[in-house]
């Protein structure tokens, strides 16, 4: 079946329908990863977005239940150059097209994703629409595209009740971690339980008072979708958590939210960082690592009060803020994803730093 992708700038791409045939309006973003499409689709940080995969062949190893980062895919749409009709892997349980149909994810293949990526890179992230209609009114489509907003996404993806995950290894008495769920990935929980932590995943709007009364050894702030500045109530509670003595480790949206809670500002990037090959320099060691990233907003470097925090990591490509080390003891955050799913494992050491902080150190 024919499918059409329409962008907010008026560009039109024609291809073949994959997945659901429902019309879908969303924010179009591109991801440069060569693998990991299943983890990307099930990452709650993509809520409200359509994903353009810049690598031309997607779906070649199929889909399996073990690699999901959440119970369902959160992406609104998937745009690829070519989708493999079968999965060639011993872990494959179904093909990608069937998976998209199962979860009502609209997709299109046969699109020149290199040209599409160049548009989104040069002109910036923009809204778009995929339709399988043979005949459509372009003006009506453009009106729907212009009206779309990515809003209320944290409320959509967060848990409705606390959930406890037991340690995966025996390290004696476990450290108890409160993990704030702004759109958390399963691999992030696993990075803690695999280090002997008991993890209690809490809904995004859990108050600071509830967290501090829970007897936890540390607090982790998860990744998540949307504009961080929209989360006014969460930011207010994080300010109270920051004023306590509890160790804090923030990732991606959690990094941005704590920065806002301590007086810094964030801004929207032209096209963001999405992929598994972003170089980041650790200013404390002078070493650079390759990281997995997924964000469209960034902390403004000139808004960070040096009396509150220092910039600990920067993006090698364009110098944007990738990490903050706070002056307040046992508190640090990073913009990238150290859990690395998908992506390289260069920065998983940050979980060890968090655990040492909970044990009484200050790394």
């Amino acid at each position: 079946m024919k499918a059409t992708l329409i962008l907010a700038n008026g560009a039109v791409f024609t291809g073949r329908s994959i997945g659901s045939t429902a019309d879908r309006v969303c924010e179009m973003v591109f991801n440069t990863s060569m693998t990991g499409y299943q983890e990307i689709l099930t990452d709650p940080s993509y809520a409200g977005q359509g994903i353009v995969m810049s690598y031309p062949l997607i779906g070649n190893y199929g889909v399996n239940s073990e690699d999901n980062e959440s119970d369902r895919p959160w992406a609104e749409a998937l745009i690829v150059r070519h989708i493999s009709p079968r999965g060639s892997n011993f872990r494959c349980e179904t093909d990608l097209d069937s998976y998209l149909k199962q979860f009502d994810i609209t997709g299109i293949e046969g699109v020149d994703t290199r040209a599409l990526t160049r548009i989104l890179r040069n002109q910036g992230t923009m809204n778009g629409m995929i339709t399988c209609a043979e005949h459509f009114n372009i003006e009506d489509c453009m009106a729907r595209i212009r009206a779309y907003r990515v809003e209320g996404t944290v409320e959509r993806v967060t848990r409705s009740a606390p959930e406890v995950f037991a340690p995966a290894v025996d390290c004696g008495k476990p450290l108890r971690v409160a993990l704030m769920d702004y759109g958390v990935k399963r691999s992030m929980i696993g990075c803690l339980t695999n280090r002997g932590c008991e993890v209690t995943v809490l809904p995004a709007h859990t108050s600071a008072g509830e967290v501090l009364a829970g007897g936890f050894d540390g607090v982790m702030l998860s990744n998540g979708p949307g504009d961080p500045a929209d989360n006014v109530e969460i930011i207010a509670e994080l300010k109270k958590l920051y004023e306590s003595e509890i160790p804090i480790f923030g990732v991606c949206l959690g990094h941005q939210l704590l920065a806002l809670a301590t007086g810094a500002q964030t801004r929207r990037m032209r096209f963001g960082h999405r992929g598994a090959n972003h170089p980041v320099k650790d200013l404390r060691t002078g070493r650079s690592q390759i990281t997995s990233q997924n964000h469209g907003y960034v902390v403004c470097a000139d808004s960070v009060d040096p009396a509150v925090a220092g910039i600990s990591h920067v993006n090698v490509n364009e110098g944007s803020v990738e990490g903050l080390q706070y002056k307040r003891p046992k508190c640090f955050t990073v913009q990238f994803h150290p859990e690395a799913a998908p992506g390289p494992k260069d920065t998983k050491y940050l979980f060890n730093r968090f655990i040492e902080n909970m044990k009484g150190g200050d790394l």
Side-chain angles (χ1 to χ4, degrees), residues 23-25 127 129 139-148:
D23 287 356
R24 197 59 45 86
V25 181
N127 291 345
M129 177 180 179
E139 292 182 359
D140 291 343
C141 294
M142 293 300 291
R144 292 176 62 185
I145 291 169
R146 286 191 291 267
Y148 181 79

Side-chain angles (χ1 to χ4, degrees), residues 154-155 182 204-205 231-239 257 261:
V154 170
E155 286 74 14
Y182 307 133
H205 289 279
N231 301 284
V232 177
E233 295 178 1
I234 293 174
I235 292 168
E237 294 303 315
L238 284 182
K239 185 176 182 180
L257 292 173

Side-chain angles (χ1 to χ4, degrees), residues 191 195 348-357 363:
C191 283
R195 288 167 170 78
K348 280 193 173 183
Y349 69 88
L350 293 170
F351 288 97
N352 298 334
R353 181 185 297 179
F354 178 49
I355 286 171
E356 289 303 314
N357 284 349
L363 298 179

Side-chain angles (χ1 to χ4, degrees), residues 150-197:
V150 179
E151 297 175 325
T153 46
V154 170
E155 286 74 14
R156 282 175 54 195
V157 303
T158 190
R159 282 168 169 75
S160 59
E163 187 174 0
V164 179
F165 294 84
V169 295
D170 185 6
C171 297
K173 183 180 179 182
L175 293 166
R176 299 184 63 237
V177 178
L179 178 49
M180 306 304 296
D181 180 13
Y182 307 133
V184 69
K185 297 162 67 177
R186 286 177 177 171
S187 55
M188 188 174 294
I189 299 170
C191 283
L192 294 169
T193 58
N194 289 338
R195 288 167 170 78
C197 297

